[in-house]
Amino acid sequence: MPKIGSSIEKSPIIDDFALLLKRIASDRDKAAYRLVFQHYAPRIRAFLIGRMGQSASADDVVQDVMLTIWRKADTFDPAKSAPSSWIFTIARNRMIDHHRRASSKTHYESEAQMELPQPMQQADDLIIRGEDSQRVSKAVRTLPEGQAKILELSYRDGLTHQEIAARLNEPLGTIKSRIRLAMQKLRLRLGETT
Amino acid sequence: MTARGQHLSDAWYLDQASGTLSLGERIFMESHIELSDEGAKKLADFEAIGAQILEDIEIENASDQTLGFDADDIFARDLDIAEVTTRPEDHTDPAPHDKQDRYFPIALSNFVNENKLAIRWRFLGPKLKKCLLWKDKDGTKLWMLKAEAGAAIPSHSHRGYELTLVLKGSFHDQANRFERGHVQEADDDTEHEISIDEGSECVCLALTQAPLAFSNPLIRALQLFTGI
């Protein structure tokens, strides 16, 4: 996989996906869904294979994510989150759900239990918003290597901050400081250009 | 180091956003975020980073050729599910809170209901009760502390982290006061004692990586029986 933030030029136009999701929700628009599918399904698959390994389970979760996007598009609110954030949290939640089912045979699945993203704050309250997407990518790319490495180990490899400290053989406090500094820099850089 | 107030160190929101936490840790974080606007904002920021990392994944052939299914398969699966979702249990709301857990965050309440946990308070110390909710293989525990007004938890340190979320009432330590929704983060370097404020009992959700290390040898002996 490429280094985090290395493909900013290819970032999609966020508003387009918000519009497509709206059309899926209101008109059950299959053509709109196909565009969302084409862009996100391969990325979600790559993300999940990175976290779960190349397996039938990862492909099953990709299907679950894409099905959730089709069935629950009406729960997407562009005033509250970017389409990519909404889809990312679905992928993350379905991955967690899969791990939970695998570790507990007592769990049963139903539509009522599908994990959807929790309602987020109003966009105006957020420092990092959907329309900042390309700038987020740019800002992440300019982080010092040590800070970017932590984000990569977290999102790509699925390590907790404690596991990252062990992997890098660094004190836990150092890792926590780097995470705090990384977020401070991101907020500062995004705030400077607002 | 101790983080005080309405949010934890950023590392916890990163872990929550990237989906790397254990079940007990996740229930703690979801409960905290429900009660803290500031915590919810921090999580949303890290989720935006995760979303951008998803966007930045380069797909050599950005078609669906590498997938074993396409959009038509999703439409077909949707129809299959639609035919069997008339079962009433598919649309039931979460179980209503009883009187005992009215102050529980929804995440905690759902966890208790889904796992059919009985809330049984057991002796922890004078004026103190505990209820173990979840224990990981590595010894990490999610548990609740119920303390009477004016109770005290003697001076202790930690072997690993201890996160405490106030669900009801309030407490204070040497420097700060914590009330519903506030979290206290303690780690190896923290030694503190906690006093419950007068006027109301206090219930906290706690996540501890290892047993607390009490300074008092008598209390250490008591830990053999209490397990916290």
Side-chain angles (χ1 to χ4, degrees):
Chain A
M1 282 187 188
K3 192 182 171 189
I4 285 173
S6 62
S7 61
I8 181 176
E9 296 80 7
K10 294 184 180 178
S11 293
I13 300 169
I14 296 302
D15 287 347
D16 285 354
F17 285 110
L19 189 62
L20 293 175
L21 289 174
K22 191 178 173 187
R23 279 164 48 189
I24 293 167
S26 60
D27 306 329
R28 310 306 290 153
D29 186 331
K30 290 186 176 179
Y33 179 78
R34 287 180 203 282
L35 292 172
V36 173
F37 186 99
Q38 186 178 20
H39 181 79
Y40 281 108
R43 285 172 171 77
I44 291 166
R45 183 171 186 271
F47 172 72
L48 290 174
I49 284 175
R51 295 289 294 270
M52 301 172 68
Q54 184 105 27
S55 64
S57 296
D59 286 341
D60 288 346
V61 178
V62 180
Q63 278 203 43
D64 284 347
V65 174
M66 296 314 299
L67 181 65
T68 303
I69 292 169
W70 171 246
R71 302 197 76 178
K72 303 291 181 182
D74 60 327
T75 65
F76 168 69
D77 184 347
K80 292 180 179 174
S81 66
S84 57
S85 284
W86 185 73
I87 289 170
F88 169 76
T89 51
I90 289 173
R92 179 201 63 199
N93 290 351
R94 297 306 282 165
M95 176 184 68
I96 290 170
D97 209 28
H98 168 80
H99 290 321
R100 197 170 57 190
R101 279 203 306 278
S103 63
S104 170
K105 292 181 179 176
T106 58
H107 180 87
Y108 68 95
E109 185 180 4
S110 75
E111 283 295 291
Q113 287 181 306
M114 288 175 93
E115 288 202 20
L116 289 165
Q118 293 297 309
M120 291 172 26
Q121 300 299 307
Q122 288 295 323
D124 287 349
D125 295 338
L126 296 177
I127 295 163
I128 298 174
R129 293 171 294 184
E131 58 266 37
D132 292 324
S133 176
Q134 293 195 358
R135 290 191 295 130
V136 173
S137 182
K138 202 174 193 174
V140 169
R141 198 166 43 158
T142 58
L143 286 176
E145 189 179 341
Q147 294 170 16
K149 180 71 178 172
I150 290 172
L151 295 182
E152 191 162 319
L153 288 171
S154 176
Y155 291 103
R156 293 272 176 82
D157 294 353
L159 301 183
T160 65
H161 69 275
Q162 291 196 321
E163 291 167 338
I164 292 169
R167 170 78 67 90
L168 300 178
N169 200 23
E170 297 268 15
L172 188 60
T174 302
I175 298 301
K176 289 168 90 169
S177 292
R178 283 189 197 154
I179 295 169
R180 179 173 51 79
L181 289 170
M183 204 36 132
Q184 268 180 6
K185 280 178 187 164
L186 290 175
R187 288 185 179 117
L188 189 64
R189 282 176 188 157
L190 294 168
E192 278 173 353
T193 51
T194 301
Chain B
M1 187 191 79
T2 304
R4 302 172 186 284
Q6 296 190 22
H7 59 86
L8 301 165
S9 47
D10 282 350
W12 286 102
Y13 303 99
L14 170 62
D15 288 353
Q16 174 79 345
S18 61
T20 56
L21 295 176
S22 65
L23 176 61
E25 291 168 331
R26 207 165 56 243
I27 299 302
F28 183 93
M29 288 301 293
E30 288 173 2
S31 298
H32 157 53
I33 284 158
E34 258 186 72
L35 301 179
S36 167
D37 289 345
E38 197 174 347
K41 284 178 195 173
K42 281 178 171 282
L43 176 63
D45 281 354
F46 277 106
E47 286 175 340
I49 302 295
Q52 195 54 48
I53 286 168
L54 181 69
E55 290 286 0
D56 283 349
I57 291 175
E58 286 179 346
I59 305 298
E60 287 185 7
N61 180 358
S63 71
D64 57 6
Q65 288 177 5
T66 55
L67 295 166
F69 62 98
D70 59 19
D72 288 324
D73 293 316
I74 298 296
F75 302 141
R77 198 173 153 203
D78 177 46
L79 289 175
D80 289 344
I81 291 175
E83 288 175 6
V84 297
T85 50
T86 53
R87 291 174 299 169
E89 62 267 28
D90 285 350
H91 302 287
T92 50
D93 293 327
H97 301 185
D98 61 25
K99 282 183 183 176
Q100 188 180 39
D101 62 9
R102 194 172 288 162
Y103 52 85
F104 282 15
I106 294 168
L108 177 60
S109 192
N110 286 347
F111 173 74
V112 168
N113 290 336
E114 285 170 13
N115 291 282
K116 299 182 171 57
L117 301 179
I119 304 299
R120 293 200 182 94
W121 295 101
R122 300 181 189 281
F123 176 80
L124 177 62
K127 299 184 178 183
L128 303 173
K129 291 178 180 173
K130 61 156 187 173
C131 175
L132 181 65
L133 298 170
W134 173 87
K135 185 179 177 182
D136 206 356
K137 290 174 191 168
D138 67 0
T140 304
K141 291 176 183 173
L142 181 70
W143 56 287
M144 288 192 296
L145 168 72
K146 181 187 272 190
E148 292 178 25
I153 299 173
S155 180
H156 63 277
S157 58
H158 311 83
R159 306 179 192 97
Y161 64 76
E162 179 193 62
L163 310 182
T164 307
L165 168 66
V166 182
L167 302 179
K168 180 183 180 187
S170 60
F171 71 83
H172 62 274
D173 61 12
Q174 296 93 322
N176 289 282
R177 183 168 179 272
F178 299 84
E179 53 191 41
R180 179 171 166 81
H182 288 188
V183 281
Q184 185 187 54
E185 179 177 354
D187 59 24
D188 294 352
D189 302 330
T190 310
E191 174 149 358
H192 61 170
E193 56 182 278
I194 291 168
S195 299
I196 309 304
D197 290 338
E198 297 291 348
S200 168
E201 70 173 7
C202 180
V203 180
C204 296
L205 183 65
L207 187 70
T208 47
Q209 197 170 26
L212 310 188
F214 285 99
S215 310
N216 185 323
L218 287 175
I219 299 173
R220 285 205 298 274
L222 191 64
Q223 280 185 289
L224 291 173
F225 302 98
T226 62
I228 298 297

